[in-house]
Amino acid sequence: MGDSLEFMLRPDLGDIAQEYVQWLQTTQRCKFSTIANYINGLVSVTSYAYANMESDALLAMEPSPLSQLVNLRSQAEKASKTQQMYEKRIGGWLEWEDVQKARVAATKKLDDAAQRGGTPTSKCKLLRDCCALSLLSLIPPDRVGCIRKLRLGHTLKKKESGDWMIDLSKQRDGHKTSRFYGPFAASLPVQLTPILDRYSQLFTCEFGGDAAYIFHPPQSGFDRPMEGSSWSQWVGRLFKRHAGVAIAPKTLRSIFITWLRSNTSAPEILKSAAHAQKHSEARQASDDYDQQADDRLVKAAYDLSLIHISEPTRR
């Protein structure tokens, strides 16, 4: 029995198990409930090994390999409950990697349509889809109203550098985020520049296009955004078209946070992602704020998203 259980007494068992969980999630595409069951088996066998062999030195470690396994199991069980809740209430769940694949799939359709010479209407719809998917996936998903209410020259601005930024520093644009969480402005990653340039050109020749809500109701003018319920339904159909699963904006935020927690526990990364999602504590509303601080806080979250999605998008 000693030789067969020797592996369970390795001091680096917790690290090995963490790599195993990562493999189950990213390569095997296992649900969190399945991962929790697998880790529970490891906890059971390891507990048996500790009870029947010399394990005092291992138990004295801080943290011990067994406590690491128990912690991994708890994290998987918690993530599983969140996943099951959204699958039951909303009927769909995607991994963050699959969200990125949906964006890539839409972009490929747009490129194919350009080469095939599709109709202007179909190209505009695909361009709208690509812009929405990019804003919803290349940056940490924000509160429902933030992307929905983006307005050229107001909350979505072109910088002197040619790139874009989100500016929620003024309350006149009616953003719940701006009213309750204080001023906020941050540069968008350069990966968004080409699609935003291309999409914004659709409005340049239209009356009022320079101040258009970029996601306005399809059959109305540019002077108002989609209603909240209409936006949620449209986003659901958007993901249904390009990922095969209807995903609501609120679910998208939970998907991102679940992915974030499974990939890093670095406090500065979690803090920056929370800030980008407006989960941070309310700050005093003032016109005197540090935009560079906002840029620094969200840059880590943007970079993390872009680094981790670079490999899936090339496959």
Side-chain angles (χ1 to χ4, degrees):
M1 182 184 71
D3 292 338
S4 62
L5 292 179
E6 183 177 350
F7 178 82
M8 310 311 296
L9 298 177
R10 290 182 54 154
D12 60 346
L13 180 62
D15 296 331
I16 295 173
Q18 193 162 2
E19 293 176 1
Y20 174 56
V21 168
Q22 190 73 16
W23 177 78
L24 287 172
Q25 184 180 354
T26 59
T27 303
Q28 299 301 105
R29 315 294 293 165
C30 292
K31 289 189 174 183
F32 286 111
S33 57
T34 301
I35 294 174
N37 287 334
Y38 286 160
I39 298 302
N40 187 56
L42 289 177
V43 169
S44 179
V45 175
T46 304
S47 298
Y48 175 75
Y50 279 27
N52 289 275
M53 302 184 70
E54 293 294 332
S55 59
D56 292 344
L58 292 172
L59 289 172
M61 292 177 60
E62 186 60 41
S64 71
L66 181 58
S67 66
Q68 287 179 289
L69 289 177
V70 172
N71 185 49
L72 278 174
R73 181 182 62 185
S74 298
Q75 291 179 19
E77 289 173 344
K78 184 176 181 179
S80 174
K81 290 179 181 178
T82 301
Q83 194 172 43
Q84 290 172 3
M85 177 185 69
Y86 278 95
E87 286 177 343
K88 182 177 180 180
R89 290 177 54 194
I90 303 173
W93 182 275
L94 288 173
E95 298 300 330
W96 188 243
E97 181 181 354
D98 294 322
V99 173
Q100 304 304 327
K101 289 180 179 179
R103 174 182 55 81
V104 173
T107 302
K108 186 177 185 303
K109 291 177 183 177
L110 181 62
D111 293 340
D112 291 344
Q115 295 177 1
R116 293 195 313 266
T119 66
T121 300
S122 64
K123 289 181 181 179
C124 287
K125 288 182 178 179
L126 272 173
L127 185 53
R128 183 183 176 101
D129 283 5
C130 288
C131 184
L133 285 167
S134 296
L135 285 166
L136 290 168
S137 65
L138 284 176
I139 60 178
D142 205 334
R143 294 183 178 272
V144 177
C146 185
I147 302 300
R148 175 174 68 90
K149 292 183 179 180
L150 284 179
R151 188 181 184 189
L152 293 174
H154 292 256
T155 52
L156 182 62
K157 296 179 178 179
K158 190 83 167 177
K159 299 167 58 180
E160 291 184 3
S161 65
D163 297 323
W164 293 83
M165 67 177 292
I166 287 180
D167 185 359
L168 305 183
S169 61
K170 306 298 181 184
Q171 297 184 15
R172 63 175 180 271
D173 290 300
H175 275 269
K176 175 182 176 181
T177 295
S178 179
R179 293 198 304 272
F180 288 94
Y181 291 84
F184 172 82
S187 300
L188 293 174
V190 295
Q191 287 79 1
L192 274 165
T193 300
I195 190 67
L196 287 174
D197 284 348
R198 193 172 172 184
Y199 186 57
S200 63
Q201 289 175 2
L202 296 178
F203 304 97
T204 55
C205 297
E206 301 290 341
F207 178 75
D210 58 343
Y213 285 97
I214 65 173
F215 297 114
H216 56 277
Q219 306 303 324
S220 72
F222 306 144
D223 59 342
R224 64 187 181 93
M226 287 188 199
E227 296 295 331
S229 58
S230 298
W231 169 252
S232 294
Q233 293 171 10
W234 185 80
V235 170
R237 294 193 299 270
L238 174 70
F239 278 97
K240 184 68 175 179
R241 284 194 294 273
H242 300 288
V245 180
I247 299 295
K250 290 182 178 180
T251 310
L252 194 63
R253 294 171 62 205
S254 296
I255 291 171
F256 175 77
I257 288 298
T258 300
W259 168 82
L260 183 69
R261 287 172 175 165
S262 69
N263 277 277
T264 179
S265 59
E268 64 273 13
I269 296 293
L270 291 172
K271 179 182 178 182
S272 62
H275 188 85
Q277 290 190 304
K278 315 303 178 299
H279 289 163
S280 56
E281 293 183 358
R283 295 182 295 170
Q284 291 292 327
S286 170
D287 289 334
D288 182 19
Y289 67 96
D290 184 0
Q291 181 189 324
Q292 290 185 349
D294 281 331
D295 280 348
R296 289 192 300 269
L297 280 169
V298 298
K299 185 178 186 299
Y302 292 163
D303 289 347
L304 179 69
S305 296
L306 294 170
I307 288 170
H308 281 269
I309 66 177
S310 60
E311 290 301 322
T313 56
R314 287 199 292 265
R315 286 201 289 265

